[in-house]
Structures are given as structure tokens and as C-alpha cells.
């Protein structure tokens, strides 16, 4: 199997019937680049920049951030790189940025909610990204967007910094894509409206599943409710993909589900454009895609969203594709 996968390293990600997808990698630092290249990623679909903040004794400077972003963009040699602005809070806190104690950190002050209040921190990150943008194909996305005004406020700050840098004579790429994570059910449900504003969506299933099922995967007592294939989740995902496509926008996914062999046939059938996952999952995913027919997978997806339970969906996929085991 390993040898067969290795052959796919420089191949595109295509279904049996010739539909082209993108298989991309999730990374946390420029140090992950060798694994990304080795596994033949066609893009970076999620660069989690919070590690820059967490691996530092103080707020990373614009220069430090610029260097990291430039390294990743250059390393990818013109392939798309989606950088997510910092997602601090929840379980990730910073010693130098004291956050208030919260009863429910995952429902609290986190990610874009911090960025829109601490605009000093956010503007520094945006400036570093803008400066790095000339070294590759930069896509920027905002985490934990719940409302349209949040997205617009973040975009305004981006546009403001870009305008400033242009007056300062600092070169900036003119085709930077701006998008958002869909990881809060409220945003998924209004995806048709968000789709008019964004260049792309990236579905963050790790959080989307937890927030939709109101279940923390890390809590043994309720882990059984963390159900990626629950038809409620699948319907949300389908709605988001369709909403993006109605506006001619890209629908990506960067949660664990994107690299999951049970989910992948369904997601192909729904027409997800980009699958972003751990680098080591890319070649197996590409190999699986090659075997599947998108029209058959569309039927599979349609049947799946009409089932009632997570287990029924697993059984359906395994019956339809016995080779998955
Ligand atoms: C997600 O929520 O699916 C996601 C990709 O973001 P993170 O895992 O970093 O919260
Ligand atoms: Mg998330």
C-alpha cells in the first residue's frame, strides 16, 4: 500500500470519473513543511497560527510573524496557503495574555472574539500577513465567526491595514482571498448569506460537531455524542457546500473529518472542493478518491442525509464500499 501511495505524490486528486479535488495539509508551524512536501499536498488548507503565540514568551512581533508566514508561502512555491488568524482561548491560553476565568471557555472569549477586541494584536498579525503575501498565494481566514458583522469587522480591519500599507509603499499581493471557518452552527445556518461576503469557506468539523451536538469529545461521559456522521452534521455540511457553490465560492474542510475514509466518499458526493488534513492522511485519501465515482457518491450522500443516526450512516458507507472494511 505504502508504495502505491508514494506513486500518487505528484498526481492530482481525481475521482474515478475525472472530477478534480484538492487535497491539502493542516500545519502548525513552518517546521511541518517537509512533511507537507513529502506527502504531496496540493495546498496548505489550514495553518494554525496560534502556535506562534503559544511557543513564545511574549506576543510575537510583526517581524517574527512575517518570517514564519513568508517561510511557509515560499516553501509551498506558489501553491495556495490558507492562514488562519489566531485561535487563542478555549483550551489554548497564553501566559502573557491573561484571559478572564470563564465557566465555559469553549463558549467564551476566544479566537476572532479576542482579535476584534484586541485589535492591536489582530492588526499586527494582519500586517505581517500582508507583507508576506507577495511570496506566494495567500488565503486568510478568520476562526470562530458567529455573525455577519464579525466577518465584516474583521474584513474592514484587513482592508484598512492594506490601504495603509499601500500608502506606505509596502508591496502587497492584490489577489489575497478572504474567508472564514464554518465551525459555529449559527454561521453554518446562515451560510447562504455569508457566502455573498466571503471568497471561501473552510468547515471546521472539530468544533462544528462539538457545538452542534453540545458534546465535548474529550469528556468520556459524553464522547459517544461526538458523532461526525450524524445526519444533522451531514445536512449542515451539505448546506454550507451548496451555499458556497451558489455564489461561486470555494468550499473547503479542515477538520479531522476531511481525512476520514468513512466521511470522504460522502463529502466527495456533496462536491466539497478541498480536503485539508494531517499530511500523512493525504496520499491514502488521494488513493481512495481515485476509486470513487462522484455520481455514485452523490447518491450515497443523498441517502446518508436522509438516515437518522451516526451508526446508520457508517453501515451505509460500509455496505456501499465494502473495500473500506
Ligand atoms: C476545527 O474546529 O475543525 C478546526 C479545524 O479548528 P481547530 O481544530 O484548530 O479548533
Ligand atoms: Mg476550531
Amino acid at each position: 500500500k505504502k508504495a502505491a501511495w508514494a506513486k500518487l505524490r505528484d498526481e492530482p486528486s481525481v475521482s474515478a470519473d475525472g472530477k478534480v479535488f484538492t487535497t491539502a495539509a493542516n500545519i502548525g508551524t513552518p517546521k511541518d513543511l517537509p512533511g507537507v512536501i513529502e506527502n504531496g499536498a496540493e495546498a496548505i488548507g489550514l495553518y494554525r497560527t496560534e502556535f506562534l503565540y503559544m511557543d513564545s514568551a511574549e506576543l510575537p512581533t510583526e517581524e517574527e510573524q512575517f518570517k514564519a508566514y513568508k517561510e511557509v508561502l515560499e516553501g509551498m512555491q506558489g501553491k495556495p496557503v490558507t492562514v488562519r488568524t489566531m485561535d487563542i482561548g478555549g483550551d489554548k491560553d497564553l501566559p502573557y495574555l491573561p484571559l478572564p476565568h470563564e465557566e465555559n471557555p469553549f463558549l467564551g472569549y476566544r479566537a476572532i472574539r479576542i482579535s476584534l477586541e484586541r485589535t492591536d494584536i489582530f492588526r499586527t498579525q494582519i500586517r505581517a500577513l500582508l507583507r508576506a503575501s507577495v511570496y506566494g498565494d495567500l488565503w486568510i481566514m478568520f476562526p470562530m465567526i458567529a455573525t455577519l458583522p464579525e466577518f465584516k469587522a474583521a474584513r474592514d480591519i484587513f482592508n484598512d491595514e492594506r490601504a495603509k500599507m499601500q500608502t506606505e509603499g509596502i508591496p502587497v499581493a492584490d489577489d489575497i482571498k478572504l474567508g472564514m471557518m464554518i465551525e459555529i452552527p449559527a454561521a453554518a445556518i446562515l451560510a447562504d448569506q455569508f457566502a455573498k461576503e466571503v471568497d471561501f469557506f473552510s468547515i471546521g468539523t472539530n468544533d462544528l460537531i462539538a457545538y452542534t451536538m453540545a458534546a465535548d469529545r474529550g469528556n468520556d461521559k459524553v464522547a459517544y455524542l461526538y458523532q461526525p456522521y450524524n445526519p444533522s452534521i451531514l445536512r449542515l455540511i451539505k448546506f454550507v457546500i451548496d451555499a458556497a457553490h451558489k455564489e461561486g465560492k470555494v468550499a473547503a474542510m479542515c477538520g479531522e473529518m476531511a481525512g476520514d475514509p468513512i466521511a470522504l466518499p460522502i463529502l466527495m458526493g456533496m462536491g466539497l472542493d478541498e480536503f485539508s488534513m494531517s499530511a500523512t492522511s493525504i496520499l491514502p485519501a488521494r488513493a481512495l478518491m481515485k476509486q470513487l465515482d462522484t455520481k455514485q457518491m452523490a447518491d450515497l450522500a443523498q441517502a446518508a442525509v436522509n438516515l437518522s443516526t451516526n451508526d446508520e450512516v457508517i453501515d451505509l458507507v460500509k455496505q456501499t464500499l465494502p473495500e473500506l472494511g
Side-chain angles (χ1 to χ4, degrees), residues 67-96:
K67 280 197 184 127
Y69 305 149
K70 176 174 181 267
E71 187 177 343
V72 172
L73 283 159
E74 282 185 337
M76 288 305 284
Q77 303 187 5
K79 296 193 176 90
V81 173
T82 300
V83 180
R84 178 176 74 183
T85 62
M86 65 103 163
D87 183 3
I88 298 297
D91 55 346
K92 306 165 195 150
D93 51 1
L94 301 175
Y96 52 88

Side-chain angles (χ1 to χ4, degrees), residues 48 84 87 92 110 143-144 181 183 204 206-208:
R48 288 182 166 101
R84 178 176 74 183
D87 183 3
K92 306 165 195 150
R110 172 179 176 190
M144 294 293 291
M181 301 272 300
E183 52 188 341
N206 306 341
D207 279 311
L208 185 63

